[in-house]
């Protein structure tokens, strides 16, 4: 599923990360947190459908308007703009996805889950997740990086959301650094939580 819809990279697309400067399929989109691919999907769906999906999913404030007065909702509403979601809402959304409680088909859920990274092991846990988009809006030194996922050990499943907020610019995106930090610290996090 993840390699079926390859879109061509074109000059003028968001390209501030080297891995984005190529034709991209859904697996590459998720792995690289590719903004231009997200923009092509939002253009295809349109604001009304995106808003309806987000509302039915309970996904944050479901506001795809973008920056006030700029008519850029399909381009950047999810990048430090109108779409807002808390870490708990991120975790609730992922838990609903995993429990197949979202108002979409099982085929759609299976497709979404197939795009996620191969799990990484940490002290007997398998950690699944997806680095979320970093904030590269205007203040490049203060990027945000989400890592949202779940950890499994035996029959136990724990959903998590982690946000890194930078004080300086880094070569590696905030989402990937949030992922690596969470995996490195997972044994301590699980122990503190009594898992």
């Amino acid at each position: 599923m993840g390699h079926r819809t390859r879109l061509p990279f074109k000059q003028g697309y968001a390209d501030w990360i080297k891995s984005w400067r190529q034709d991209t399929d859904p697996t590459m989109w998720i792995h690289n947190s590719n903004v231009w691919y997200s923009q092509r999907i939002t253009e295809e769906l349109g604001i009304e459908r995106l808003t309806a999906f987000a509302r039915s999913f309970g996904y944050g404030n479901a506001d795809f308007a973008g920056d006030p007065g700029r008519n850029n909702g399909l381009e950047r509403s999810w990048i430090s703009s109108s779409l807002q979601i808390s870490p708990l809402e991120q975790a609730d959304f992922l838990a609903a996805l995993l429990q197949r409680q979202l108002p979409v088909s099982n085929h759609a859920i299976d497709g979404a889950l197939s795009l996620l990274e191969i799990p990484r092991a940490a002290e007997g846990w398998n950690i699944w997740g997806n680095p979320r988009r970093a904030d590269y809006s205007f203040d490049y030194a203060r990027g945000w990086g989400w890592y949202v996922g779940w950890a499994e050990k035996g029959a136990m499943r724990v959903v998590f959301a982690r946000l890194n907020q930078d004080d300086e610019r880094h070569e590696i995106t905030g989402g990937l650094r949030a992922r690596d930090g969470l995996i490195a610290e997972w044994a301590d996090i699980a122990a503190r939580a009594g898992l």
Side-chain angles (χ1 to χ4, degrees), residues 161-183:
R162 183 175 204 163
L163 171 63
N164 280 9
Q165 294 178 287
D166 293 332
D167 291 329
E168 60 186 48
R169 188 170 183 171
H170 294 269
E171 191 66 30
I172 298 172
T173 66
L176 296 177
R177 285 182 297 98
R179 176 199 65 195
D180 295 344
L182 181 122
I183 291 169

Side-chain angles (χ1 to χ4, degrees), residues 93-160:
F93 169 77
L94 184 56
L97 177 73
L98 291 170
Q99 295 165 9
R100 298 179 181 275
Q101 295 175 340
L102 294 178
V104 295
S105 70
N106 282 333
H107 177 73
I109 291 172
D110 291 340
L113 293 175
S114 76
L115 298 175
L116 297 179
E117 295 180 291
I118 296 171
R120 297 168 186 253
E123 301 289 324
W125 291 84
N126 286 320
I127 299 177
W128 296 79
N130 173 38
R132 304 297 285 185
R133 293 169 189 83
D135 170 23
Y136 281 94
S137 57
F138 301 107
D139 185 357
Y140 290 94
R142 302 206 186 283
W144 291 19
W146 284 96
Y147 183 61
V148 180
W150 71 95
E152 297 176 344
K153 185 176 187 179
M156 188 181 323
R157 179 182 288 157
V158 178
V159 174
F160 59 80

Side-chain angles (χ1 to χ4, degrees), residues 13-21 35-36 39 76 79 134-137 140 169:
Y13 283 178
D15 68 354
W16 56 86
I17 293 178
K18 184 179 179 183
S19 64
W20 298 355
R21 298 176 202 140
V35 168
W36 74 256
Q39 291 169 334
R76 61 171 293 116
I79 306 173
D135 170 23
Y136 281 94
S137 57
Y140 290 94
R169 188 170 183 171

